[in-house]
Amino acid sequence: MPDLAGVAHVALTVTDAPRSAAWYTRVLGLREAARFAEGDGARQKIVLTDAANRVLIGVVQHGGAPADRFDERRTGLDHLSFAVPGRAALDAWAAHLDALGVPYSPIAPATLDPRTAVLVFRDPDHIQLELFTI
């Protein structure tokens, strides 16, 4: 079987691409790398990156899409988890989210591996995001 070299990027469907791009920039410190429209403006994409950590996220707004909020119980994406280097980093992220007024769960042992810890929060479209110690 051929090897995989990692995850190249994640694209998230959102209701308002500029709003989501601004939120991911403010909350996660990503920077805008590209912005473009396709299909006579029917689809708008904004590419965000943290090049130092090889993170590439696209926020994509589809014209005519339903405006309902994300629900991880539907088939598709359940959540997106970002690795952080340890508990001290997780505590620093909690303080950062507090300063920005972003609600989040208490830091808790991760279900996947109780030796690790996780903090859960949501983006403007209610997509569940995690910060997960490695």
Side-chain angles (χ1 to χ4, degrees):
M1 176 175 295
D3 292 334
L4 295 175
V7 174
H9 69 274
V10 173
L12 303 172
T13 298
V14 298
T15 57
D16 183 329
R19 177 192 68 181
S20 291
W23 188 89
Y24 279 89
T25 299
R26 181 174 61 92
V27 174
L28 296 181
L30 302 177
R31 99 179 154 72
E32 187 173 319
R35 179 184 291 235
F36 51 95
E38 296 175 322
D40 294 331
R43 184 167 59 182
Q44 182 178 6
K45 292 182 179 181
I46 302 174
V47 179
L48 306 167
T49 186
D50 176 349
N53 293 306
R54 298 177 55 165
V55 173
L56 189 64
I57 296 176
V59 291
V60 183
Q61 179 180 341
H62 298 272
D68 46 332
R69 290 173 23 144
F70 174 82
D71 185 338
E72 60 270 11
R73 295 169 295 180
R74 283 190 224 136
T75 300
L77 178 74
D78 186 83
H79 65 275
L80 177 59
S81 185
F82 297 94
V84 298
R87 178 58 192 250
L90 204 52
D91 291 336
W93 273 102
H96 174 69
L97 295 173
D98 277 337
L100 294 175
V102 175
Y104 59 90
S105 70
I107 295 171
T111 306
L112 183 65
D113 181 350
R115 297 170 296 172
T116 63
V118 65
L119 177 155
V120 178
F121 59 111
R122 293 185 181 268
D123 82 351
D125 286 294
H126 205 65
I127 296 172
Q128 182 176 311
L129 305 170
E130 293 180 353
L131 298 169
F132 192 92
T133 60
I134 54 171

